[in-house]
């Protein structure tokens, strides 16, 4: 009877061990998912936040350089040279390429709306600019004022987009930290579970010795 209860107890312990091993395997898969998510978030911070942030600076600088060329024409009333036309077109093409690359990154709803407004403002600016260049040297001061106003609209949307990107980047960083902390908790749990299994195995080894059947002694027939 004692042997029967010992065997039954071992089955219970074996079942507990099976459950613990299953939990550890599940925790390992969950931990891997957390680290995968952290990797994706880190890549997104670099590809979808840091690189576009640099691009925003170049868009603003390109527009500013174009504005300086137009302002110089108004200040000096000099003829419009082919070099000036090529330079302005170079900056415009560069902005188009940057915007196109920006659209291929991951954008939140706010970023997408702000980027569309920025594109509209740049198109408006380019239209005013081309109107000035096509009628040069005939020019009016109000055209320059409109161009300056359009440029300020571009700067406003660039600032808005930069602020949104900073906020989204901060959220991604915070989420990554939370997932890393959860992964650490899972790792600690796995270590604890492994120690628990080691203790159970040690108990099984010790108890197995105590439940061994005693050696039958031969009776003296004499």
């Amino acid at each position: 009877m004692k042997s029967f209860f010992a065997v039954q107890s071992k089955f219970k312990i074996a079942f507990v061990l099976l459950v613990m091993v299953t939990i550890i395997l599940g925790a390992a898969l969950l931990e891997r998912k957390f680290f995968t998510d952290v990797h994706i978030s880190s890549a997104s911070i670099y590809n979808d936040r840091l690189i576009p942030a640099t691009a925003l600076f170049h868009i603003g600088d390109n527009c500013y350089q174009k504005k300086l060329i137009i302002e110089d024409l108004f200040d000096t009333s000099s003829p419009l040279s082919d070099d000036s036309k090529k330079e302005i077109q170079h900056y415009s093409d560069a902005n188009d390429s940057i915007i196109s690359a920006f659209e291929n990154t991951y954008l939140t709803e706010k970023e997408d709306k702000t980027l569309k407004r920025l594109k509209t403002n740049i198109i408006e600016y380019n239209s005013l600019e081309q109107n000035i260049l096509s009628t040069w040297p005939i020019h009016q001061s109000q055209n320059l004022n409109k161009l300056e106003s359009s440029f300020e609209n571009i700067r406003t949307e660039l600032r808005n987009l930069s602020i949104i990107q900073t906020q989204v980047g901060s959220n991604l960083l915070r989420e990554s930290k939370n997932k890393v902390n959860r992964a650490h908790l899972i790792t600690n749990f796995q270590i604890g579970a492994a120690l628990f299994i080691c203790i159970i195995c040690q108990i099984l080894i010790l108890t197995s010795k105590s439940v061994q059947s005693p050696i039958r002694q031969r009776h003296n027939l004499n």
Side-chain angles (χ1 to χ4, degrees):
M1 182 64 69
K2 182 178 180 182
S3 177
F4 172 77
F5 284 115
V7 172
Q8 189 179 34
S9 177
K10 286 183 179 181
F11 275 119
K12 290 180 180 179
I13 294 175
F15 177 75
V16 172
L17 289 177
L18 179 62
V19 172
M20 291 299 298
V21 170
T22 303
I23 292 175
I24 290 176
L25 291 176
L29 294 175
L30 185 60
E31 182 184 33
R32 180 179 296 180
K33 180 181 182 302
F34 281 147
F35 281 115
T36 300
D37 291 343
V38 169
H39 174 72
I40 293 174
S41 296
S42 300
S44 180
I45 290 174
Y46 177 76
N47 294 323
D48 302 325
R49 299 293 167 263
L50 294 181
I51 293 179
T54 304
L56 292 180
F57 169 79
H58 288 302
I59 292 175
D61 183 63
N62 290 339
C63 290
Y64 180 71
Q65 294 300 326
K66 293 203 300 176
K67 188 169 77 75
L68 287 180
I69 295 174
I70 299 297
E71 288 177 346
D72 184 63
L73 289 175
F74 274 85
D75 291 340
T76 61
S77 295
S78 58
L80 179 62
S81 65
D82 291 336
D83 289 340
S84 295
K85 288 182 180 179
K86 290 179 180 178
E87 192 173 2
I88 290 174
Q89 188 60 46
H90 167 74
Y91 289 127
S92 296
D93 292 340
N95 280 346
D96 290 340
S97 298
I98 293 172
I99 292 293
S100 178
F102 207 128
E103 289 176 324
N104 291 327
T105 63
Y106 169 75
L107 298 174
T108 63
E109 184 177 356
K110 284 185 177 181
E111 287 175 316
D112 184 59
K113 290 180 179 180
T114 306
L115 182 61
K116 288 179 179 178
R117 290 197 301 268
L118 176 62
K119 285 181 61 177
T120 300
N121 291 333
I122 290 178
I123 292 173
E124 179 186 3
Y125 181 90
N126 290 340
S127 177
L128 293 170
E129 181 182 72
Q130 289 303 315
N131 183 47
I132 292 174
L133 297 178
S134 62
T135 59
W136 193 263
I138 301 173
H139 57 275
Q140 297 178 349
S141 59
Q142 61 264 30
N143 291 336
L144 184 60
N145 292 334
K146 291 180 181 179
L147 196 69
E148 179 67 31
S149 177
S150 180
F151 176 75
E152 288 302 321
N153 291 337
I154 292 174
R155 290 184 60 187
T156 298
E157 296 305 333
L158 285 173
R159 283 195 297 268
N160 292 338
L161 198 53
S162 179
I163 291 172
I164 295 172
Q165 284 209 307
T166 301
Q167 293 172 345
V168 174
S170 297
N171 292 337
L172 287 173
L173 185 60
R174 183 168 56 254
E175 290 176 4
S176 297
K177 289 181 178 179
N178 290 336
K179 288 175 182 177
V180 169
N181 290 335
R182 293 174 188 172
H184 286 164
L185 289 175
I186 292 175
T187 300
N188 293 334
F189 168 78
Q190 289 174 320
I191 294 173
L195 291 174
F196 176 78
I197 291 176
C198 289
I199 294 172
I200 295 297
C201 290
Q202 187 67 25
I203 293 174
L204 285 175
I205 293 172
L206 294 175
T207 55
S208 64
K209 294 180 180 180
S210 62
V211 297
Q212 288 180 350
S213 299
I215 299 175
R216 295 181 180 177
Q217 297 181 354
R218 295 179 180 178
H219 296 285
N220 190 353
L221 299 178
N222 296 328

